[in-house]
Amino acid sequence: MPELVPVLSKNDIDSLVTKVAHRISTDYRNHDLILIGVLKGAFVFLSDLVRSLDIPVQIDFIRVFSYGSDMSSSGEIHLKKDIEVDIKDKDVLIVEDIVDTGLTLKYLIDYLRSYHPKTIKVCVFIDKHQRRETDIAIDYSCHDVDKGFLVGYGLDYNENYRYLSGIYHLKL
Ligand code: IMP
Ligand code: MG
């Protein structure tokens, strides 16, 4: 049986989201901010985040897929669903559940730049360090871990566990 070891409780998550939302609200006050959530993983974090901000924002989603094993991406990333709002000359914040190698976010930043936004930054719920392969800047991160496969709060393993309100370390 897979084992789920608690990493962050719902209360922990609430206070981390409140903190990052405060930073973002301060940094983007009086800007035209568009949040772009990376499907599917970011849908829970994004929905908490927008309700904790105290500035108006627009919201859109993008979806990519990468071939690879269950627990790591191959680095060969393709677009599956594009954005639908116009981001030209707007401030864009990509909202992602977790950054691991960084290849997905690097692809997304390069891709979204082709629409000529004014600025483009990155907000992740979890920054996982050990396997980073790119030097992308993570502008906002709620929680750092070194390694391990995490599930819950939107994060999945083969589409399971996304619904959990806490974050767990999955041990197979
Ligand atoms: P990267 O391209 O290696 O940075 O991987 C990013 C994507 O891999 C994330 O958007 C997740 O979908 C997935 N991923 C990476 N690490 C984990 C994890 O610990 N749990 C669940 N999904 C993960
Ligand atoms: Mg993801």
Side-chain angles (χ1 to χ4, degrees):
M1 275 296 281
E3 194 190 344
L4 292 175
V5 181
V7 174
L8 294 173
S9 69
K10 188 175 184 313
N11 275 347
D12 298 332
I13 291 171
D14 285 348
S15 64
L16 292 170
V17 173
T18 303
K19 263 192 232 159
V20 82
H22 181 74
R23 286 180 58 203
I24 294 169
S25 299
T26 306
D27 294 350
Y28 287 95
R29 201 167 301 282
N30 303 318
H31 289 245
D32 290 323
L33 179 60
I34 303 183
L35 302 182
I36 300 185
V38 185
L39 291 172
K40 297 180 193 170
F43 83 104
V44 184
F45 175 42
L46 182 72
S47 72
D48 281 349
L49 181 63
V50 294
R51 288 174 295 165
S52 303
L53 294 172
D54 64 3
I55 53 168
V57 294
Q58 292 184 345
I59 298 162
D60 202 355
F61 293 96
I62 196 165
R63 187 159 183 208
V64 293
F65 66 100
S66 75
Y67 301 106
S69 71
D70 293 344
M71 286 195 171
S72 68
S73 77
S74 63
E76 194 189 324
I77 294 150
H78 303 264
L79 194 70
K80 187 151 191 166
K81 184 224 164 292
D82 205 348
I83 52 167
E84 290 157 39
V85 299
D86 183 8
I87 62 169
K88 188 171 188 305
D89 298 326
K90 301 285 172 63
D91 291 302
V92 166
L93 186 60
I94 303 175
V95 179
E96 172 65 307
D97 52 2
I98 186 166
V99 52
D100 184 12
T101 64
L103 293 167
T104 304
L105 278 170
K106 182 170 183 355
Y107 171 90
L108 286 170
I109 293 166
D110 289 345
Y111 178 75
L112 292 172
R113 277 215 179 102
S114 69
Y115 289 110
H116 304 291
K118 183 157 100 188
T119 64
I120 180 156
K121 291 197 176 189
V122 170
C123 172
V124 300
F125 189 69
I126 290 178
D127 185 346
K128 188 161 74 174
H129 297 275
Q130 201 182 56
R131 303 198 301 173
R132 193 65 43 85
E133 288 179 34
T134 59
D135 58 0
I136 50 161
I138 305 299
D139 303 285
Y140 303 93
S141 139
C142 295
H143 186 71
D144 289 11
V145 297
D146 213 37
K147 57 184 173 186
F149 197 82
L150 304 179
V151 295
Y153 198 60
L155 291 159
D156 76 306
Y157 174 64
N158 288 341
E159 295 301 328
N160 295 308
Y161 308 115
R162 289 195 201 274
Y163 63 91
L164 295 171
S165 32
I167 295 235
Y168 299 82
H169 186 177
L170 178 67
K171 297 198 161 167
L172 294 175

